[in-house]
Amino acid sequence: MARPLKRKVQHGTPERGDLDGALLRAKALKLMIFDVDGVMTDGMLYYSERGEELKAFNIQDGHGVKMLRQQGVEVALITARRSRAVELRAANLGIAHLHQGVEDKRGAYAALLAQLRLDAAQSGYMGDDLLDLPLITRCGFAATVPAAPEALKRRAHYVTRAQGGHGAVREICEFILSAQDALERAVDAHLL
């Protein structure tokens, strides 16, 4: 399997800025947690005439989540907002760990680690805004999107090329699978 091109993943400190370090961190993951707005969506809020909140999700991002789960990595969502659309999307993707309406994400994160009997190094988190800093700085593998504030990008181990809602989640899922030598196996499952 071809390794990704060597490139500087993030323009922060060398410790957090090298691809090999990011790959090592991603290799240890047993749980990947995603924020929703700005990560799984483009971050825009849409309302119908009746006041219903609408969200658009990327189908390839969803398939990336399914591939990650099929290769044994648990997936969770922790989001500050509450939305029926997120509940439906999580159910559609088979995500059992959904935490909505969580302003301070540290408690939900600690509960997830305890429930799954994992330590922080075995968890990853992808967020896009300042509310995500507590998890970005606690998890073993931190990812963000190009539109995130510099404070997140400096602390992330990986900044996606794709924007939130436009393939960023798929990019991270494939990066993790590649780090765990499982990407080819995930792709091969579609050749049968």
Side-chain angles (χ1 to χ4, degrees):
M1 174 178 72
R3 279 180 60 120
L5 293 175
K6 211 164 176 57
R7 71 176 179 91
K8 190 166 175 97
V9 177
Q10 178 53 42
H11 47 88
T13 63
E15 172 186 59
R16 289 186 162 243
D18 72 293
L19 182 58
D20 290 335
L23 284 165
L24 278 173
R25 288 172 174 275
K27 184 175 185 144
L29 295 185
K30 298 203 180 298
L31 168 67
M32 186 62 197
I33 307 164
F34 296 96
D35 179 29
V36 176
D37 295 312
V39 172
M40 295 190 86
T41 74
D42 63 6
M44 301 293 290
L45 295 177
Y46 302 92
Y47 292 97
S48 72
E49 289 182 9
R50 296 188 315 202
E52 299 166 316
E53 187 176 301
L54 308 172
K55 294 183 185 291
F57 297 96
N58 182 295
I59 198 79
Q60 290 183 343
D61 283 351
H63 191 70
V65 166
K66 286 181 178 181
M67 289 191 314
L68 205 57
R69 290 186 56 251
Q70 289 166 352
Q71 296 303 316
V73 177
E74 285 284 337
V75 175
L77 303 179
I78 301 178
T79 178
R81 300 181 55 80
R82 284 194 177 278
S83 169
R84 175 77 174 129
V86 172
E87 194 177 308
L88 293 170
R89 185 62 173 153
N92 176 259
L93 297 176
I95 299 172
H97 309 287
L98 172 61
H99 301 268
Q100 294 196 81
V102 181
E103 288 281 330
D104 183 350
K105 299 181 179 188
R106 292 175 290 192
Y109 175 66
L112 262 174
L113 291 181
Q115 177 187 356
L116 298 172
R117 295 186 175 128
L118 300 174
D119 61 43
Q122 296 172 298
S123 71
Y125 183 76
M126 184 174 187
D128 75 310
D129 211 342
L130 298 177
L131 285 176
D132 301 308
L133 272 173
L135 300 193
I136 289 281
T137 58
R138 282 172 170 74
C139 67
F141 173 72
T144 193
V145 295
E150 282 301 313
L152 256 71
K153 291 195 277 191
R154 277 194 315 270
R155 290 166 174 86
H157 304 109
Y158 191 98
V159 176
T160 61
R161 291 179 186 97
Q163 296 291 337
H166 296 278
V169 168
R170 176 65 169 263
E171 185 178 332
I172 286 301
C173 290
E174 289 190 3
F175 183 82
I176 294 165
L177 290 170
S178 179
Q180 297 185 358
D181 295 322
L183 183 57
E184 290 302 316
R185 192 167 51 247
V187 171
D188 288 348
H190 296 285
L191 296 173
L192 302 175

